[in-house]
Structures are given as structure tokens and as C-alpha cells.
Amino acid sequence: MKKKISKKIKWGKILPVLSIFLGIVLMIYMIKVEDEPGALPLLLIIAGTIWLIINRYQTKRQIQ
């Protein structure tokens, strides 16, 4: 039996992963260029992780 998941939640899985990936890439760049991580890459990684956790909870809640 296939459950329907809204398009909003499907996009909600892609965007946080993209945010985390961008944060990691920026972190690596900042460490190589300036020898210290900046606040923006850390913020992107934390925000993307929290966003992903919230979306997983909403997906599980919608399926049940």
C-alpha cells in the first residue's frame, strides 16, 4: 500500500540536505583560506540539520 506524501514535504527533504552540503563546502573553503571556520557555514549546517529532523518528524506523522 503506497502512502501519499505532499510535495512540500518532498522538497523539504532536498533543501535541508542542500543547505548542509553548502555549509560543509563553505566550511572547508573557509578553513583552507582563512584557517578558521566562520559563523555562516556553522549556521547553515545547524539550520539544515534541524530542518531535516523537523521534516522527518512531519513525514512520519503524516504517514500514520
Side-chain angles (χ1 to χ4, degrees):
M1 188 171 184
K2 190 173 183 180
K3 304 281 182 178
K4 289 187 177 181
I5 299 173
S6 70
K7 288 182 181 181
K8 181 180 178 183
I9 293 177
K10 285 183 183 179
W11 275 105
K13 289 181 181 179
I14 296 171
L15 294 176
V17 171
L18 186 64
S19 173
I20 293 169
F21 178 72
L22 182 62
I24 291 171
V25 170
L26 276 173
M27 175 87 66
I28 293 169
Y29 174 76
M30 297 274 293
I31 289 173
K32 284 190 172 195
V33 172
E34 297 179 5
D35 294 329
E36 62 182 40
L40 182 62
L42 292 172
L43 183 65
L44 281 171
I45 293 169
I46 292 170
T49 304
I50 292 171
W51 193 5
L52 189 62
I53 290 169
I54 289 171
N55 283 330
R56 280 188 181 220
Y57 175 73
Q58 288 178 349
T59 303
K60 284 185 180 181
R61 189 170 160 209
Q62 186 180 16
I63 289 174
Q64 291 177 355

